[in-house]
Structure formats: C-alpha cells, structure tokens
Amino acid sequence: MTMNKKIETICVQGGYTPKNGEPRQIPIYQSTTFKYDTSEDMGKLFDLEASGYFYSRLQNPTCDYVAAKICELEGGVAAMLTSSGQAANFFAIFNIANAGDHVISSSTIYGGTFNLFSVTMKKMGIDFTFISPDCTEQELNAAFRPNTKAVFGETIANPALTVIDFDKFVRAAHSHGVPVIIDNTFATPVNCRPFEFGVDIVTHATTKYMDGHGTQVGGCIVDSGNFDWMAHKEKFPGLCTPDDSYHGIVYTEKFGKGAYITKATAQLMRDFGSTAAPQSAFLVNLGLESLHVRMKRHCENGLAVAKFLKNHPNVDWVTYPGLEGDKYYDLAQKYMPNGTCGVVSFGVKGGRKAAEAFMKRLKVYAIETHVADARSCCLHPASATHRQLSEQELVAAGIGPELVRLSCGLESADDLIADLDQALRG
Ligand SMILES: *Cc1c(COP(=O)(O)O)cnc(C)c1O
C-alpha cells in the first residue's frame, strides 16, 4: 500500500527504508569506489545502460538516500545532493544554459548567488537580467529574449526577505517555454512546496535549516518532473539531442522525467565533481529528522522578535514576511500559511554606525555570516556578505546600510528579546 505521508513523517522516515535485518539509520558508505564481478557489468554503468554505483564523485548510496528524502519532502521525482548551495544553483542553471544563453533572475537573491550569476557565470558567457520580484507581469514578460533558458528566484530572499509571487513568475516563464528554478532554502519544504505552485525545479542550501546545526555546507537540486523539455527541444539541446560523451544517448528519451537530474549527475558531477561527502549527507539527514519540529520554533521566535522590534523606539523599520502589515505578508499567507522562517531584518535608527555599535553589544546573538542555525546569529550585510555590491546594487538587492539580519534560533524568545533590547538601548 502506498501512503500519502505527511511532511512530519517524511522528515523522520523518508528516503530510506531498511529491509529485514538492515541498519535502522542510514549507513555511511565511506567508499570512493564499488566492486563488480565483470568488466561488462561495469561497462553498462559507464554507458548509463544500467543504474548502479561505481565512483562516489558521481553517486554514493548515503547521498542518494538523503537526496531521496528531500525529493519526497518537495514532492519531486528526482534529486541530487551537491557540495554546497552555490554548487546546487550553479548546476541547476548550467544544466540547461550554455555560453550565449540568457537567464532572468529576481534581483533580491543571496549575495553569493548574485556574484555567481553576475560575475562568474557572465564570464562563462551566460547573461543574466535581474528584475525586481515586485515587477509587473508586463515588465517580467518584456525581459525574455529568444535565448532565455530559465527564470530564477528565492521563495523568501536572503537577506531581503521578499516573497516571490510564484503565480506571476510561473505564468511568465511557461508562456515563454522555460522552467522556473526556485531556491527554497529559507522556507524549506516544511513551510512551502514550490512544485504545488507550478515551479519546475527547486534548489537548497542544505547548509541552512535542513542541517540546522551549523555542521556542514551542502546543497540539493530537486526536479518536479513536470517541465516538458521535448515540447521546447530547440531551447534545450543538452537534454533533447544526443550526448557525445555517452555514446549519443538522449536524456529525455532514455530517462523521461529523470532526464534533468540524470544529466546533471552523469555529466556535470562527472566533470565538475562538486559532490557531497557521505559523512556530510549523514549529518544533513540528522537535521532533516527534526526539521518540522525546529521550523515551527524558528518561526515562533522570528515572529516574537519581529513584533518586539516593530514597537522599539530605536528601530527604524522591520521586515518579516510573517508579520502582519509587512509588505510581503499577503504573499506569505498565500504561499506559506503555516509560517515563513526565523530570519528577521530590521533597520537600526542612526544608519551604518548605529548598526555596527548595536552588533558589538549583543550577547546571545553571535556575529556570523550564517543563518538558519539552532544558535541565534546576526549579520550586517553591507559590511560583510554584500560588501562587493555598489550602493546602487545594494538598493536593488533591498539592502540598506542600516540593515541588520537576525537569524532567530531555538533559544527562549524571552532571552532573544532581552538581548536585542539591551543592545538597542546601548
Ligand atoms: C547560503 C545560501 C546559498 C549558498 O549556500 P552555500 O551552502 O553557502 O553554498 C544559496 N542560497 C541561499 C538562499 C542561501 O541562504
């Protein structure tokens, strides 16, 4: 009997079902390589004629169990782990866009992703247009070119905390025959499952809430299996025409709904090797087992802190999509009615200097370039993650010099609020 399991059950048990007498917990396959009886057996793997493991740069069972759990959480058909969230976003796009191609991205995205797109991938010949997530549908449609291959955005943007309107982005992308790729790191599938709103591919920095304990960097790509590559085959030759590096197989013909992830694994992992380590995958899974429990608390603490800051005399403004009156409250209610995330941004009255002084006085919140951890932490993006951006780009990314990003952990909300109060009062 197949059961339509709830998200809580998938967090705990998804991805790995031991057979009689097998380990209850996911085993760590600490092995680079796998043994075969004949060269013919192995040859079939190299030709993608048979599925199986041969070298952990491409695939490893521990990593695959964890990818399968995330896939199930998102409601996708196939998934792969990567060595970082950066690798996940790079592969997700590079799998379908080459030199000479164009991608549309929301302008409010993670600073690392913005650098990847606007500097490094640009050097590789892929052109990006950055557009405000608040753009009109007309403006969005006008950004498409004949060589546009994907539309990218973040469910809840890090650190701007904008909420993307899936309906608007999906409608525009699909009317131009390209998929929507969404980085769902901040919401996690506990609070939002973008495939339910027509998104085609989801990425994650598992580094954040999925791990949740600040133990390792990792990423994941999940495919909904819903995008019809063959209906737009002239746009996606990599998926729809023969791959010379595998004796001319055509991924869509041979792997159907698994085409996109199979290509990313067999071709991009083979060539770039940004693989997750089995030990890291094991640790991500420990985080996933309690993701549903932790997200609830992160959201409760985030909302309590946001409400407190909103009424504080030394606070200019507060951004938290779960806070009534927030610019993105309605979109958050539409797409994430059960909660958003534990990250709250706010402006310290007095600008950059006041923000820096406030940070120095904090005792419970630690200064880190990290978010989504059990331990509360905070960052002043203008002097850290986003320091490469010009003033203009800072504004476009929704990050003023007074902005402080708080990541509310799993501590007592009372202690978090007391810490913020003393640091704000100085
Ligand atoms: C952190 C983060 C990334 C990058 O992930 P790494 O694991 O640090 O490479 C990508 N997207 C978002 C939204 C993030 O928060």
Side-chain angles (χ1 to χ4, degrees):
M1 186 183 85
T2 55
M3 263 173 67
N4 212 351
K5 289 195 240 55
K6 295 243 194 292
I7 207 98
E8 294 84 350
T9 308
I10 303 169
C11 280
V12 181
Q13 295 204 10
Y16 170 70
T17 310
K19 296 191 193 77
N20 194 34
E22 287 185 347
R24 185 68 185 96
Q25 180 55 288
I26 293 178
I28 303 172
Y29 285 80
Q30 196 64 54
S31 184
T32 52
T33 190
F34 300 82
K35 175 245 173 198
Y36 287 91
D37 289 340
T38 69
S39 299
E40 287 78 16
D41 287 346
M42 182 168 269
K44 284 186 190 137
L45 300 178
F46 273 88
D47 283 350
L48 301 181
E49 281 300 325
S51 66
Y53 297 96
F54 54 96
Y55 194 54
S56 286
R57 177 170 8 96
L58 286 92
Q59 275 184 292
N60 171 284
T62 308
C63 299
D64 280 356
Y65 289 136
V66 180
K69 178 180 279 191
I70 298 172
C71 187
E72 211 175 325
L73 284 170
E74 288 288 4
V77 297
M80 65 196 278
L81 296 189
T82 58
S83 56
S84 67
Q86 287 293 102
N89 282 329
F90 172 66
F91 283 155
I93 290 177
F94 196 65
N95 202 32
I96 49 172
N98 298 309
D101 287 341
H102 171 251
V103 175
I104 297 168
S105 171
S106 164
S107 58
T108 54
I109 52 173
Y110 175 64
T113 311
F114 184 79
N115 279 332
L116 169 68
F117 291 174
S118 65
V119 180
T120 302
M121 290 183 80
K122 194 176 159 72
K123 279 186 204 156
M124 300 169 81
I126 301 171
D127 213 12
F128 284 78
T129 295
F130 296 96
I131 189 158
S132 163
D134 305 334
C135 64
T136 65
E137 202 149 343
Q138 200 177 13
E139 287 166 334
L140 185 53
N141 280 315
F144 284 84
R145 303 178 192 168
N147 59 343
T148 303
K149 297 300 165 75
V151 175
F152 180 92
E154 295 178 5
T155 308
I156 306 172
N158 176 8
L161 302 178
T162 55
V163 174
I164 202 158
D165 185 350
F166 290 128
D167 288 347
K168 180 174 68 183
F169 276 72
V170 165
R171 217 167 24 234
H174 288 177
S175 75
H176 289 86
V178 303
V180 177
I181 303 174
I182 290 291
D183 182 332
N184 195 34
T185 298
F186 267 26
T188 82
V190 170
N191 286 335
C192 182
R193 306 209 312 161
F195 295 158
E196 290 172 0
F197 306 107
V199 167
D200 303 287
I201 289 148
V202 156
T203 60
H204 282 282
T206 60
T207 319
K208 309 293 167 53
Y209 287 117
M210 286 191 170
D211 169 54
H213 299 79
T215 66
Q216 92 276 231
V217 170
C220 186
I221 309 173
V222 189
D223 183 8
S224 68
N226 291 334
F227 193 79
D228 188 353
W229 307 104
M230 285 303 266
H232 310 280
K233 74 194 277 197
E234 72 295 340
K235 275 188 194 289
F236 304 105
L239 283 161
C240 305
T241 59
D243 180 354
D244 292 337
S245 69
Y246 282 111
H247 305 309
I249 64 156
V250 177
Y251 291 100
T252 43
E253 281 173 6
K254 191 151 178 66
F255 301 104
K257 284 185 180 298
Y260 174 88
I261 292 292
T262 303
K263 175 177 178 289
T265 302
Q267 202 183 65
L268 300 186
M269 276 301 181
R270 179 197 63 192
D271 295 351
F272 290 94
S274 311
T275 317
Q279 286 273 356
S280 297
F282 177 84
L283 289 169
V284 169
N285 184 59
L286 291 186
L288 290 170
E289 288 183 1
S290 64
L291 183 66
H292 55 302
V293 182
R294 291 184 292 106
M295 283 314 287
K296 195 162 178 286
R297 182 59 171 268
H298 281 296
C299 293
E300 284 166 7
N301 283 356
L303 184 59
V305 161
K307 282 182 174 163
F308 164 76
L309 291 171
K310 175 125 179 140
N311 296 315
H312 201 283
N314 298 342
V315 170
D316 233 350
W317 52 265
V318 181
T319 298
Y320 182 70
L323 184 67
E324 223 168 314
D326 186 85
K327 185 176 174 192
Y328 296 96
Y329 181 75
D330 291 343
L331 279 177
Q333 288 296 305
K334 180 176 176 188
Y335 297 118
M336 292 165 266
N338 297 327
T340 52
C341 64
V343 181
V344 179
S345 290
F346 73 103
V348 182
K349 257 190 197 152
R352 184 186 283 261
K353 273 227 158 70
E356 283 168 358
F358 158 81
M359 301 273 293
K360 283 199 188 109
R361 290 192 285 264
L362 290 168
K363 295 188 172 71
V364 180
Y365 283 90
I367 298 176
E368 293 170 25
T369 55
H370 190 49
V371 287
D373 191 284
R375 287 150 293 240
S376 290
C377 54
C378 67
L379 183 80
H380 183 223
S383 54
T385 44
H386 286 62
R387 63 185 299 131
Q388 280 87 0
L389 271 62
S390 69
E391 288 293 315
Q392 240 177 0
E393 286 171 336
L394 276 176
V395 172
I399 300 146
E402 77 288 4
L403 184 149
V404 170
R405 181 186 69 189
L406 298 174
S407 172
C408 299
L410 303 177
E411 303 92 340
S412 153
D414 293 345
D415 291 341
L416 297 181
I417 287 170
D419 190 36
L420 294 170
D421 193 38
Q422 64 80 20
L424 280 165
R425 290 182 193 279

